[in-house]
């Protein structure tokens, strides 16, 4: 059984819509508040199932992707502006359910505009104890059009931010 899911995440809540490709059944859920423990509880119901999930590369995507990977999901990160552009002209008011459905449908038809998810060794290690590891931030500063320099800064995160 394969499940294809779209998530629309916000600071306060996450809306999920998924399709069981064997039965054709579409289901929805809402995770509120949108924090790691709630996402972890939600993801556990899919452990051991073939799961493909798409979510937008907006604030909060990383911990959601981490929890999905923890249960074995294949995670796809959608580029927000291009995802919205593929919606076309609005015919009715936009909602979180409609956004989750749109992302799921783009994933299913192979038209999801994907963003790059850096590998774990770039993102930093998983949370362990009070210190989570290092987080890399890359900022690109341009001097002239011919030369660009890239600086990497690292910082320590604590468990409260994980």
């Amino acid at each position: 059984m394969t499940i294809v899911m779209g998530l629309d995440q916000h600071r306060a809540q996450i809306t999920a819509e998924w399709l069981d490709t064997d039965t054709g059944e579409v289901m929805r859920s809402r995770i509120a508040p949108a924090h790691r423990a709630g996402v972890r509880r939600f993801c556990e119901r899919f452990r051991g199932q073939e799961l493909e999930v798409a979510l937008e590369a907006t604030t909060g995507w990383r911990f959601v992707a981490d929890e999905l990977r923890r249960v074995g999901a294949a995670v796809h990160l959608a580029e927000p502006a291009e995802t919205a552009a593929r919606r076309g002209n609005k015919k009715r008011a936009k909602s979180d359910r409609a956004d989750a459905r749109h992302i799921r449908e783009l994933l299913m038809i192979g038209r999801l505009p994907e963003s790059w998810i850096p590998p774990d060794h770039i993102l930093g290690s998983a949370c362990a104890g009070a210190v989570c590891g290092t987080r890399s931030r890359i900022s690109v500063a341009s001097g002239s059009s011919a030369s660009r320099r890239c600086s990497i800064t690292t910082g320590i995160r604590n468990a409260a931010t994980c």
Side-chain angles (χ1 to χ4, degrees):
M1 164 171 62
T2 301
I3 295 173
V4 182
M5 181 183 296
L7 296 177
D8 183 49
Q9 76 269 13
H10 298 281
R11 290 180 195 264
Q13 56 87 30
I14 299 171
T15 302
E17 179 177 290
W18 63 95
L19 170 83
D20 180 326
T21 58
D22 289 343
T23 66
E25 185 178 8
V26 175
M27 291 165 273
R28 292 176 197 88
S29 185
R30 187 173 171 156
I31 306 161
H35 56 67
R36 187 176 289 270
V39 172
R40 183 171 288 171
R41 278 191 305 275
F42 171 76
C43 292
E44 280 302 319
R45 73 176 79 176
F46 301 103
R47 183 177 292 282
Q49 298 180 41
E50 190 176 335
L51 176 64
E52 286 215 39
V53 183
L55 66 148
E56 287 184 326
T58 58
T59 303
W61 72 266
R62 185 174 168 192
F63 85 89
V64 175
D66 288 347
E67 292 303 322
L68 287 163
R69 285 181 174 162
R70 220 175 124 265
V71 297
V75 179
H76 303 269
L77 195 59
E79 197 285 315
E82 189 64 29
T83 300
R86 291 191 182 178
R87 176 180 302 282
N89 293 334
K90 290 198 296 188
K91 294 173 181 65
R92 61 178 70 111
K94 190 171 90 72
S95 68
D96 294 341
R97 280 177 50 173
D99 286 347
R101 179 181 309 113
H102 176 64
I103 292 168
R104 177 187 56 80
E105 288 172 347
L106 288 175
L107 178 61
M108 289 183 69
I109 64 173
R111 294 203 59 230
L112 186 75
E114 291 198 45
S115 293
W116 178 66
I117 300 177
D120 289 339
H121 72 277
I122 292 176
L123 287 174
S125 62
C127 295
V131 178
C132 300
T134 59
R135 173 181 61 195
S136 297
R137 293 180 307 194
I138 301 174
S139 60
V140 178
S142 60
S144 67
S145 60
S147 68
R148 290 189 178 267
R149 56 191 157 85
C150 181
S151 64
I152 299 175
T153 58
T154 59
I156 301 295
R157 295 178 297 148
N158 64 32
T161 64
C162 296

